[in-house]
Amino acid sequence: MSGAGTPPISREDVAHVAKLARLDLSPEELDLFTSQLASVLDHAADIAALDLSGTPPTAHPLPVRNVLRPDEPRPCLDREEVLAAAPDVEDHRFRVPRIGGQEP
Amino acid sequence: MTETALAPPETGAWETVIGLEVHAELQTATKLFCSCRNAFGDEPNTNVCPVCLGLPGSLPVLNREAVTFAMRIGTALHCEIRPSIFHRKNYFYPDMPKDYQISQYDEPINVGGWLELPDGERVGIVRAHLEEDTGKTSHLGEGGRIHAADESLVDYNRAGVPLVEIVSEPDLRSAAAARAYVTELRGLLIATGVSDGRMEEGSLRVDANVSVRPVGSSAFGTRCEVKNLNSLRSLGRAVEHEAARQVALLEAGGAVTQETRHWDEEAGRTVPLRSKEEAFDYRYFPEPDLVLLEPDEAWQREVAASIGPLPAARRARLAELLGGEATESQLEQIRSVVEQGLDHFVTEASPPAPAALALARAGNELAAEPEAATSLDPAAFAGLVALEAGGELSATQSKKVLARLLADGGGDPLAVAAELGFEALGDDALAAAVAEVVVANPDEWAEYCSGDEKLQKQKGGWLAGQVMRATKGQADGKAVDEELRRLRAAQG
Amino acid sequence: MSPTPGPAGATAEAVRTGGRSARSVVEEALAAIAAADGPLHAFLDVHADAAAADAAAVDAAVEQGRDPGPLAGVPVALKDNLCTRGRPTTCSSRILEGWRPPYDATVVTRLREAGAVVVGKTNMDEFAMGSSTENSSTGPTRNPRDPSRVPGGSSGGSAAAVAAGVVPLALGSDTGGSIRQPAAFCGVVGMKPTYGVVSRYGLVAFASSLDQIGPFATTVGDAALLLEVIAGHDPCDSTSLDRPAPDVTAALDDGVEGLRVGLCQELLDEGDAEVVGRVRAAAEALAGAGAKVDEVSLPELRLGLPAYYLLAPAEASSNLARYDGVRYGLRVDAPDAEAMNTATRTAGFGAEVKRRIMLGTYALSAGYYDAYYGKAQRVRTLVIEAFGRAYESFDVLLGATTPSTAFPIGAKVDDPWSMYLSDLFTVPSNLSGHPAMNVPFGADGEGLPIGVQLLAPALGERVLFAAASALESLAPAPGGAS
Ligand SMILES: [Mg+2]
Ligand SMILES: [Zn+2]
């Protein structure tokens, strides 16, 4: 990644990203992913190195604007059908184990 | 901002600097990106669909009315309405069905602006942007507190409800100013019809960025964000406590750490939630499922034209109608009790009496029962005051009808009056009743007609009381007074 | 309509006129699936009972004189990332095992309204991430032309089902070539419409700004028939274009007389010699039919692949966050919510999906956004501008669909980048949002199909189908050597 001035991805970066993405990687997977991601990012270096300051970014292939819907209620899903798909339910709500982390 | 260690000011005086982030739920019929009902208090998980449950394959479609409401807020806050886009704010949390929130980031719909407080001070508005609300999590286990809970239950009825997040400049300098700002903003949100302003139901949620600095300093101190402020009272207490905590830290030679803190209402203190280092990496990027939002001139004009009088304008109008200054406490009473009812008097350019009457009823009877008053249908209240103002109900009758309306949470004032047997006394019956009292009490009548102002007032009140008694309160006090004057004039 | 309808068109016509019952058509398809799918593994779920019932409803409509629709009685297979109400929709992922959507994708509703009969869901690379259909929790699909080889991917099951002749039509999704590449490997027609022409509502998202649903068929005419049914505005998809479905069947006979065809250098370079040879043969054939063929170079297209492998994973990392074990699908228990999320995702996703989630998360994370995601978005602009220049001089572009013919199962699983290179010629159209199509055009020395790719500007579906139809009529007979 020298061309872009971005350092190559490290094992620590990969571990950090895995935590962000809520994935648990074994030490072997961590090694494998580090080298595989580095190889993909190496190809990305071609574009990371380009000076494209004069080129605007494209988020959307076609220019469309103001797609809106009227504020009119429509029928919702059947609650029993919704809850039937859930791994764990109590009192018509989705049950999850203790939220140990921090509130956003 | 990084950590700053401020030297204690020589004077020992500190200034508190506050910026507020207010999240207001919009009272649209449906959610922001789907056609589920936007309603508070329904059975859990009944207002859900593939979109607001984040089911695989579902896609958001923007609610036009929510955009209109956001533009009303922006217009009322003197913001520039700009072409905007939505971003995804990525973080995991069980109450967020997609594990990202669709929000506006660096290109929000409303940018820049200000809100004028009753004391004339202007608070800068950075932005007011659209975003979706999360579901609601109840924590089971000890005391319903998140960290002690064994498990949590999630209801997604609120997921996807439209919010506007209004971010102020750090222009506020005291807890009182912060409260005044939220009070004024709340009035504005209610007056523009976009929110019910109910803090206790979570319709309005406030986060405060608090820092302190030596008086006279122009640099900002390190700020802390305080969350969980569910009422004006907790806002005021939390700001005061947090400022005091920071001053104590600094005076002890310590430094404030930039972090997010949680207001513990019971303990009356803020506790750390997470530090800057632990801050989320939200990985914002443009939401590919939505397109550019660019309200045209016509839409913006339509929105501007639809906005009724704002709190400041009402204050001025009320003052005019009352022939003097309306005090802030009078106004706050009315505002918190009968927002829409008051509109009726103020906007329809009625004679001063109804406004004065509305003030009187709101300030006395309603204020005495604040709990019941908040659920009173404003239209019912407006109707009642109109009846009293028009002489169809006496003051006594009006109060009785109002008591019944409060007990029932609303109703048709005319019907209630009829039910209570308050048929207004016809003109002839009233004249007859007055004449009877005059004839039966010649001494008092003579004193009333004597020309002595004090006597006149005293005896006039007594005679009117006799009429009221005779008519079992059915006569209108004002009409009796007028009839007495008419008789005296005719006689003299 | 083409004078000689394809098998789907012929079947619909026979059913509509009462010449054949939809039931017999569907029974035949179900029997063919039962006979062929054991070794092939194109299907994940066969909707035998529902298909029979749907066919009976079509027959009833015909008997009662009601219009049964343009695809009356035609069996259709669906890639398993299209939501089907009450029927498993897994995206070939453990994490969605057993999930039954409470709603139908818009394309599924439109198929039913057109009288088509959904016979089942097809295998795919997990969440459409892959180019070989080897990344499936249920094992790979085999190429009907050579069972030791991959069918391509990610829509490999749909391509294989059509190539094996068990269904005349199938739907796939194309994010970076996932319809066109397997179509080329299996020797069938596969088409990616202009972004926004087909509703994505009910398509389980991989990369939202790139995903499009499109048809597989054995002929260009059948593909046109299917596209007309699934295309058109849908208020449930904000990115759906507010215009009617393109009238492509009417364009099939337009011919190529005077058509300006650009043979694109960047869609040939790095292709195997035999592949390049077939594309040049196609160019000559078109010229022989009256087209004006010229070479064109669009160097920016070379930047497409690295840009794509930043943008698509970035969007995917966000789209796949919702698989957290709370509301549906797999849950692996753990003492707290964060650990439960992590355990569930770790057990539920396969290696390639994890790799792309990691890549995308990294590309969006603080400090790297501008260098990676931001840059890739600007490259996207360059690609669009390059195509724009080309379409000032040409009506359509021509190139290879894939650099090689179908490769052996297992050949590329250990080297992600070599697998990603399969998409080299297809990703530019996803970045630009333009339509493109694979048309079979002969085979290599081993008899493996070779496809050529036609590309057209935004909403150029009509000219694309006209050129494809002409090219199809010029192609060597299937099985015949080049
Ligand atoms: Mg917010
Ligand atoms: Zn919904």
Side-chain angles (χ1 to χ4, degrees):
Chain A
M1 296 304 312
S2 50
T6 313
I9 190 166
S10 67
R11 203 170 183 275
E12 289 65 42
D13 291 333
V14 175
H16 171 69
V17 168
K19 195 167 156 44
L20 271 179
R22 303 235 159 143
L23 292 169
D24 194 12
L25 301 183
S26 69
E28 297 75 43
E29 285 176 308
L30 214 48
D31 290 335
L32 182 65
F33 276 28
T34 304
S35 72
Q36 288 176 334
L37 294 193
S39 134
V40 175
L41 290 168
D42 203 34
H43 292 279
D46 296 349
I47 62 167
L50 296 174
D51 177 10
L52 296 178
S53 45
T55 307
T58 295
H60 244 288
L62 297 171
V64 179
R65 65 192 61 199
N66 293 341
V67 176
L68 300 154
R69 69 177 170 80
D71 188 27
E72 289 157 10
R74 295 180 54 181
C76 291
L77 287 172
D78 173 59
R79 178 164 73 177
E80 299 324 307
E81 189 178 5
V82 165
L83 295 174
D88 199 359
V89 169
E90 185 180 320
D91 201 13
H92 304 295
R93 280 172 264 225
F94 296 83
R95 182 158 66 178
V96 291
R98 177 170 55 86
I99 300 174
Q102 310 141 332
E103 249 171 302
Chain B
M1 253 179 284
T2 50
E3 287 192 10
T4 39
L6 293 176
E10 281 166 33
T11 59
W14 295 87
E15 179 176 60
T16 308
V17 176
I18 307 150
L20 296 179
E21 291 171 18
V22 174
H23 285 84
E25 276 183 1
L26 304 181
Q27 49 186 2
T28 49
T30 66
K31 296 186 181 182
L32 185 53
F33 297 120
C34 66
S35 303
C36 288
R37 258 161 47 80
N38 168 14
F40 179 83
D42 283 359
E43 275 287 295
N45 292 306
T46 50
N47 298 329
V48 293
C49 75
V51 177
C52 58
L53 276 175
L55 295 190
S58 64
L59 295 169
V61 184
L62 185 57
N63 180 347
R64 189 180 196 277
E65 186 79 339
V67 178
T68 295
F69 281 14
M71 284 160 59
R72 277 196 209 158
I73 295 174
T75 306
L77 290 173
H78 314 278
C79 292
E80 182 194 351
I81 294 173
R82 306 204 41 171
S84 63
I85 61 170
F86 288 88
H87 272 69
R88 289 187 186 176
K89 180 181 185 181
N90 294 284
Y91 63 96
F92 285 88
Y93 207 78
D95 64 11
M96 212 164 44
K98 304 181 292 295
D99 288 298
Y100 58 79
Q101 180 194 33
I102 304 178
S103 177
Q104 297 195 305
Y105 180 51
D106 53 3
E107 296 179 50
I109 181 165
N110 299 305
V111 181
W114 44 267
L115 177 65
E116 189 172 300
L117 303 189
D119 63 5
E121 203 68 39
R122 276 188 186 182
V123 179
I125 302 294
V126 180
R127 54 191 281 148
H129 70 255
L130 270 166
E131 62 184 29
E132 58 179 344
D133 208 345
T134 62
K136 215 163 189 173
T137 312
S138 348
H139 305 294
L140 300 184
E142 268 179 67
R145 287 184 47 210
I146 183 163
H147 295 291
D150 298 324
E151 55 180 32
S152 300
L153 301 181
V154 194
D155 165 17
Y156 293 105
N157 279 351
R158 199 182 68 179
V161 162
L163 294 175
V164 165
E165 178 176 339
I166 302 152
V167 182
S168 86
E169 296 281 2
D171 286 350
L172 300 158
R173 294 289 177 268
S174 68
R179 290 181 56 144
Y181 168 82
V182 172
T183 303
E184 188 70 10
L185 184 58
R186 184 175 169 275
L188 178 144
L189 294 170
I190 295 169
T192 50
V194 304
S195 168
D196 62 18
R198 292 186 180 149
M199 286 187 88
E200 70 284 0
E201 284 182 8
S203 299
L204 214 63
R205 307 197 281 272
V206 184
D207 300 334
N209 285 299
V210 181
S211 65
V212 297
R213 65 182 175 190
V215 167
S217 163
S218 60
F220 289 115
T222 301
R223 72 192 144 91
C224 288
E225 184 178 6
V226 184
K227 290 190 173 278
N228 190 40
L229 310 173
N230 300 322
S231 65
L232 283 176
R233 186 179 127 86
S234 34
L235 168 64
R237 288 180 69 207
V239 165
E240 264 164 19
H241 170 274
E242 178 57 21
R245 186 189 71 86
Q246 293 182 13
V247 166
L249 251 177
L250 295 170
E251 288 189 339
V256 175
T257 310
Q258 188 179 333
E259 63 189 358
T260 304
R261 300 179 68 87
H262 179 91
W263 170 247
D264 185 335
E265 178 73 36
E266 237 167 88
R269 63 196 180 105
T270 65
V271 291
L273 208 54
R274 61 175 169 270
S275 70
K276 190 190 172 195
E277 285 68 37
E278 297 170 297
F280 289 95
D281 181 349
Y282 291 122
R283 288 158 285 135
Y284 281 100
F285 74 101
E287 164 59 282
D289 290 330
L290 292 168
V291 302
L292 177 70
L293 175 61
E294 194 171 11
D296 61 14
E297 288 282 323
W299 191 3
Q300 293 189 40
R301 272 199 306 273
E302 187 188 308
V303 165
S306 74
I307 295 176
L310 298 177
R314 287 177 176 182
R315 267 196 300 277
R317 176 78 176 129
L318 259 181
E320 196 185 312
L321 292 174
L322 294 167
E325 284 290 303
T327 69
E328 199 40 46
S329 72
Q330 274 177 314
L331 289 170
E332 174 52 23
Q333 256 165 355
I334 295 167
R335 207 167 16 240
S336 62
V337 174
V338 280
E339 269 302 327
Q340 304 305 318
L342 189 64
D343 263 352
H344 175 84
F345 305 105
V346 177
T347 57
E348 306 205 346
S350 49
L357 260 181
L359 261 178
R361 291 288 160 267
N364 296 312
E365 280 72 31
L366 296 191
E369 281 193 74
E371 286 297 308
T374 45
S375 60
L376 178 64
D377 174 17
F381 178 72
L384 176 75
V385 177
L387 287 177
E388 185 180 345
E392 284 150 82
L393 288 178
S394 69
T396 316
Q397 289 171 333
S398 176
K399 287 177 196 176
K400 284 185 178 156
V401 173
L402 184 52
R404 174 66 82 83
L405 290 173
L406 284 171
D408 296 351
D412 175 9
L414 204 58
V416 172
E419 212 182 294
L420 293 174
F422 299 157
E423 297 294 344
L425 221 50
D427 285 350
D428 291 351
L430 183 122
V434 173
E436 239 171 77
V437 168
V438 168
V439 171
N441 301 281
D443 294 349
E444 282 75 10
W445 175 248
E447 281 172 331
Y448 174 71
C449 297
S450 69
D452 181 312
E453 237 174 80
K454 209 177 143 197
L455 261 181
Q456 200 175 93
K457 207 170 175 185
Q458 202 185 338
K459 294 302 160 187
W462 187 87
L463 287 165
Q466 295 306 110
V467 175
M468 286 308 213
R469 217 153 119 195
T471 59
K472 300 192 175 68
Q474 267 176 273
D476 174 46
K478 248 171 53 192
V480 172
D481 193 42
E482 268 167 33
E483 180 62 11
L484 287 170
R485 284 169 193 274
R486 195 188 64 77
L487 284 178
R488 188 183 62 188
Q491 181 177 312
Chain C
M1 187 60 140
S2 185
T4 48
T11 297
E13 196 51 32
V15 170
R16 290 169 60 85
T17 54
R20 258 199 97 173
S21 74
R23 276 192 99 130
S24 71
V25 173
V26 167
E27 272 163 22
E28 200 176 290
L30 292 170
I33 294 169
D37 204 51
L40 202 59
H41 191 43
F43 284 84
L44 297 175
D45 187 23
V46 177
H47 303 179
D49 294 346
D54 289 351
V58 170
D59 288 334
V62 173
E63 271 164 40
Q64 290 158 17
R66 283 182 284 124
D67 184 357
L71 289 178
V74 179
V76 180
L78 304 176
K79 188 178 184 178
D80 203 33
N81 59 356
L82 296 168
C83 287
T84 43
R85 188 184 169 109
R87 303 297 307 216
T89 299
T90 68
C91 298
S92 289
S93 181
R94 269 204 70 197
I95 213 155
L96 275 176
E97 236 169 59
W99 180 60
R100 289 160 191 263
Y103 73 109
D104 273 330
T106 298
V107 291
V108 175
T109 305
R110 293 200 174 159
L111 279 175
R112 294 194 205 287
E113 286 168 359
V117 177
V118 173
V119 294
K121 306 293 286 288
T122 59
N123 198 12
M124 55 186 282
D125 283 301
E126 185 179 3
F127 284 104
M129 296 178 192
S131 309
S132 67
T133 316
E134 291 168 290
N135 303 326
S136 165
S137 64
T138 64
T141 295
R142 290 173 184 275
N143 191 320
R145 310 284 185 219
D146 177 352
S148 72
R149 293 176 186 269
V150 302
S154 64
S155 315
S158 284
V162 172
V166 299
V167 285
L169 297 176
L171 287 183
S173 65
D174 191 316
T175 307
S178 282
I179 291 173
R180 291 161 288 158
Q181 188 256 16
F185 278 16
C186 292
V188 296
V189 174
M191 190 257 171
K192 181 199 91 74
T194 301
Y195 186 85
V197 161
V198 178
S199 167
R200 293 184 295 117
Y201 192 74
L203 165 67
V204 180
F206 162 15
S208 314
S209 77
L210 303 160
D211 297 340
Q212 262 299 280
I213 298 168
F216 284 101
T218 56
T219 69
V220 174
D222 276 358
L225 210 53
L226 181 50
L227 177 64
E228 284 183 358
V229 165
I230 61 170
H233 182 241
D234 177 12
C236 292
D237 175 359
S238 306
T239 64
S240 159
L241 297 171
D242 191 3
R243 48 193 303 138
D247 184 10
V248 282
T249 52
L252 293 172
D253 288 336
D254 284 0
V256 292
E257 183 72 49
L259 193 75
R260 300 170 303 165
V261 178
L263 181 60
C264 183
Q265 211 181 321
E266 286 71 23
L267 301 179
L268 281 176
D269 290 355
E270 299 183 51
D272 290 353
E274 282 183 294
V275 171
V276 173
R278 292 312 304 156
V279 176
R280 292 204 178 278
E284 278 165 34
L286 285 171
K292 293 191 283 183
V293 183
D294 260 313
E295 303 225 351
V296 60
S297 172
L298 304 170
E300 293 89 340
L301 301 197
R302 288 181 211 278
L303 302 172
L305 196 67
Y308 172 83
Y309 274 98
L310 293 171
L311 292 173
E315 292 185 19
S317 71
S318 173
N319 282 329
L320 271 63
R322 68 189 67 190
Y323 306 104
D324 59 7
V326 175
R327 292 158 299 278
Y328 45 80
L330 182 73
R331 169 184 291 189
V332 176
D333 282 317
D336 67 73
E338 178 169 356
M340 184 275 284
N341 293 157
T342 304
T344 299
R345 293 164 62 79
T346 301
F349 291 136
E352 181 60 25
V353 170
K354 287 179 187 167
R355 202 150 36 229
R356 296 207 197 180
I357 290 174
M358 301 277 295
L359 188 55
T361 304
Y362 183 69
L364 289 174
S365 64
Y368 297 105
Y369 182 95
D370 290 338
Y372 292 123
Y373 190 80
K375 271 289 166 59
Q377 280 193 322
R378 290 171 203 274
V379 167
R380 197 167 183 181
T381 309
L382 293 182
V383 169
I384 292 170
E385 288 171 355
F387 276 128
R389 280 200 315 278
Y391 290 123
E392 285 171 14
S393 315
F394 299 100
D395 300 308
V396 294
L397 298 177
L398 178 69
T401 305
T402 58
S404 73
T405 52
F407 47 83
I409 289 174
K412 300 192 177 188
V413 284
D414 293 329
D415 182 356
W417 189 256
S418 79
M419 183 73 88
Y420 298 171
L421 278 172
S422 308
D423 304 336
L424 185 63
F425 300 150
T426 45
V427 294
S429 306
N430 298 91
L431 294 174
S432 67
H434 296 165
M437 180 160 21
N438 175 73
V439 181
F441 204 79
D444 69 5
E446 293 177 76
L448 295 169
I450 291 176
V452 302
Q453 189 180 194
L454 283 164
L455 300 84
L459 299 168
E461 268 79 4
R462 282 183 58 108
V463 69
L464 184 68
F465 272 87
S469 176
L471 192 59
E472 177 181 51
S473 67
L474 300 165
S482 49

